[in-house]
Amino acid sequence: MPRNRLPAVWTVLSLVILFCDAAAQAPAPSRGAMGPLPRVHFLATGGTISNRAGGRLTAEDLVKLIPPLETYAQPEFEQFSNVASSALTLDQYLKLARRINELFEQDKTLAGVVITSGTDTMEELAYFLHLTVRDFRPVVVVGAMRNASTIGYEGPANLLEGFRVAASRAAAGNGVMVVLNDEINSAREVTKTDALRLHTFQSRIYGVLGVVDADRVSFYRAPVKRHTAKSEFDVKKIETLPRVDVIMVYQDASGDLITAAAANGARGIVVAGAGAGATTSSQREAINAVAQKGVVVVMGTRTGSGRIAPGTDQAPSGGERRRNTVAAEDLAPVKARILLMLALAKTHDLAEIQRMFSEY
Ligand code: GLU
């Protein structure tokens, strides 16, 4: 090549490299070149993401905090409530599930739904919706650990990512997802692992479903248990959810709390057992007594992960436990409670409830 043409070649090469680099960094819009942007319905329930000194942000305020949203989706917003997650009632859970089902039934072109919630009990709301929304389209639950009056408020970043997942075609069929800190977790497995730190939502041994990066939303695995479109739980037929309490096993714990829960109207009890479901002898006696009266007792673990297998307990009391209780499988006690409430709204048959715990 003649020497005097080298500078021109370098200029062209540098421009190509610059262009490629910019294209890789730029957030890619999720619409096709010609089509309209996906429509995403946003329901705000409150929580830290809506909190600021002097009053709460509304759904409309939150959408205004994320101008880049117009690159990814057409939002519609609705204020469902504006309270802390722990203040939501089970009747509001039912109402929210019915509302999302209604939105999907009435609007076949809606791409997905985003819900903001406080983070404290977010995993319970997300799992409830995972079992009761009857559509394959994505439902994404989003929150924040820092409120809008705090430096480092991450609400807008999380909400934008929630919209991007709800607008993404790859998210369909994954049920309800929790999106914070660029990570997508399944409602079934995600849990709040730290009271304060930002990176609190983890799926422990299972890991994330996917991630939200600047260029795109990527999935690496899909939930295989029954949920949403394949669920058998129909909230149209449930007026109120039965009382189910969670009781923990700890050293020398008395069975009195189990007896008291049943006496106060609990139709089900989830025991957060030690290790693979151990209880004290006083608790075991109370469990057997309430089980005789028709209260359904589910054995889980307080360890944070691991599976309680149905009918495999080799301990001397194993036979009794098999007859009188249902195994929670790998569901965390608070999620086992959500499933047990829905199960009890349909049946009191232990074998049938055990089937549900193995399938969902
Ligand atoms: N972290 C709280 C929650 O889970 C939010 C507190 C509030 O909204 O007042 O809802």
Side-chain angles (χ1 to χ4, degrees), residues 9 46 48 113 145 188 194 200 203 206 211 224 229 270 299 333-334 347-348 352:
V9 170
T48 298
V113 170
M145 290 297 288
R188 184 180 185 276
D194 191 291
T200 181
S203 291
Y206 300 107
V211 293
V224 294
V270 176
M299 287 305 308
V334 289
T347 179
H348 274 70
E352 184 62 355

Side-chain angles (χ1 to χ4, degrees), residues 29-33 35-38 72 111-112 136-138 163-174 177 217 219:
S30 43
R31 68 172 148 183
L37 287 170
Y72 299 102
F136 67 94
R137 284 171 279 183
F163 268 102
R164 286 179 58 198
V165 174
S168 142
R169 259 190 248 138
N174 285 338
M177 291 154 280
V217 172
F219 283 93

Side-chain angles (χ1 to χ4, degrees), residues 46-51 56 82-87 117-122 144-145 192 195:
T48 298
I49 194 166
S50 297
N51 243 348
R56 288 183 184 268
N82 213 342
V83 296
S85 58
S86 52
S117 159
T119 56
D120 291 346
T121 60
M122 174 184 279
M145 290 297 288
K192 188 174 188 178

